[in-house]
Amino acid sequence: MKKQLLVLVAVLSLLASSCKVAGTLYPLSQEENDFIFKKELIGKWEDPKDRSGYYRVDTLKGKRGRHYQVETVFGNKETGSMDTSRFNATLVSISGWYYLDCWVDMENQFSATDKSYEDWLIARHFIFRLSFPGANSIELSTPDPEELVKLIDQKKILLHYAKLKKDDYLILDKPAVLQKGFTESKKYPLLYKDKYILHRSS
């Protein structure tokens, strides 16, 4: 259903604190040994500025704790019901920073008759920088797309992208090059100017 697609877009926009999105074509890593289990990530999380829903993070069975499922549950004002979306995720450390690589859980997101999945046939990854300022809080930030594209165009960060539509960019590089790009991004704090705080829900 198109409604479900709109919920996914809204959740991604909320997580990114912006309607502008820069996804990646490839994951940040495809190496199982790069993936990290961090118990501090597990739990139910809320945005103190938006009490209409919550995020639940857990590990996936059979993956030795190194793969996560992020479930978002938010109220739908139109229907008065709660909409649930699911994302798969891995956590990777690059140059001392944690990055959460999220992508839509296609298998559990759409029914067999739901055609809106066609809009997600490019398996886009959304990468968030994470820090843990306290035992019960997570700080998320994502590269500002316009700033990232500007740095790529200036050849300060050696990545490649395609513009899909206004304010919507897709980074095209494979994991090894992608990781180098994120390492270089540490030099440019303006890339991560927008920060988003979640608090553990009791």
Side-chain angles (χ1 to χ4, degrees), residues 134-202:
N136 295 304
S137 60
I138 296 175
E139 182 182 274
L140 291 142
S141 56
T142 187
D144 178 83
E146 290 182 357
E147 187 68 22
L148 179 60
V149 165
K150 183 172 78 173
L151 290 168
I152 293 172
D153 288 343
Q154 294 171 348
K155 303 197 181 307
K156 292 181 178 178
I157 293 180
L158 301 179
L159 294 173
H160 304 85
Y161 69 90
K163 183 173 182 178
L164 303 180
K165 55 187 176 183
K166 189 178 186 304
D167 294 328
D168 189 1
Y169 304 94
L170 185 65
I171 305 300
L172 303 173
D173 300 279
K174 292 187 176 180
V177 176
L178 201 55
Q179 289 187 29
K180 288 180 182 177
F182 275 93
T183 298
E184 287 298 303
S185 76
K186 291 185 73 171
K187 300 176 183 176
Y188 307 102
L190 282 179
L191 262 180
Y192 298 96
K193 60 187 176 185
D194 294 323
K195 300 187 187 326
Y196 183 73
I197 302 289
L198 296 178
H199 293 283
R200 191 181 298 279
S201 174
S202 56

Side-chain angles (χ1 to χ4, degrees), residues 1-162:
M1 296 166 64
K2 287 294 178 186
K3 183 190 79 173
Q4 196 169 31
L5 178 61
L6 291 173
V7 171
L8 287 170
V9 173
V11 168
L12 289 169
S13 299
L14 177 64
L15 283 172
S17 301
S18 169
C19 63
K20 298 174 289 186
V21 178
T24 66
L25 182 60
Y26 293 96
L28 198 48
S29 177
Q30 294 174 307
E31 298 295 327
E32 191 75 23
N33 289 336
D34 288 345
F35 303 150
I36 298 168
F37 169 71
K38 195 160 180 66
K39 65 180 181 180
E40 293 89 340
L41 188 57
I42 306 302
K44 182 179 175 183
W45 302 91
E46 292 181 334
D47 174 8
K49 298 177 183 176
D50 181 2
R51 298 289 185 175
S52 65
Y54 60 87
Y55 307 89
R56 188 185 304 279
V57 181
D58 202 352
T59 53
L60 288 174
K61 292 179 180 178
K63 299 291 186 177
R64 297 186 298 144
R66 295 185 178 187
H67 293 249
Y68 302 88
Q69 183 175 79
V70 180
E71 184 178 66
T72 67
V73 181
F74 277 84
N76 185 316
K77 292 180 181 178
E78 292 179 10
T79 65
S81 62
M82 301 298 281
D83 288 324
T84 301
S85 298
R86 291 179 182 86
F87 303 87
N88 292 324
T90 54
L91 185 65
V92 178
S93 177
I94 301 173
S95 300
W97 282 357
Y98 290 113
Y99 293 91
L100 189 69
D101 180 351
C102 299
W103 63 97
V104 176
D105 181 356
M106 296 293 287
E107 184 176 338
N108 294 311
Q109 193 67 54
F110 301 99
S111 68
T113 58
D114 188 350
K115 297 302 181 186
S116 62
Y117 75 91
E118 294 172 359
D119 294 305
W120 291 87
L121 287 179
I122 297 177
R124 298 175 65 168
H125 293 255
F126 300 91
I127 299 172
F128 302 91
R129 194 179 79 182
L130 284 187
S131 63
F132 299 87
N136 295 304
S137 60
I138 296 175
E139 182 182 274
L140 291 142
S141 56
T142 187
D144 178 83
E146 290 182 357
E147 187 68 22
L148 179 60
V149 165
K150 183 172 78 173
L151 290 168
I152 293 172
D153 288 343
Q154 294 171 348
K155 303 197 181 307
K156 292 181 178 178
I157 293 180
L158 301 179
L159 294 173
H160 304 85
Y161 69 90

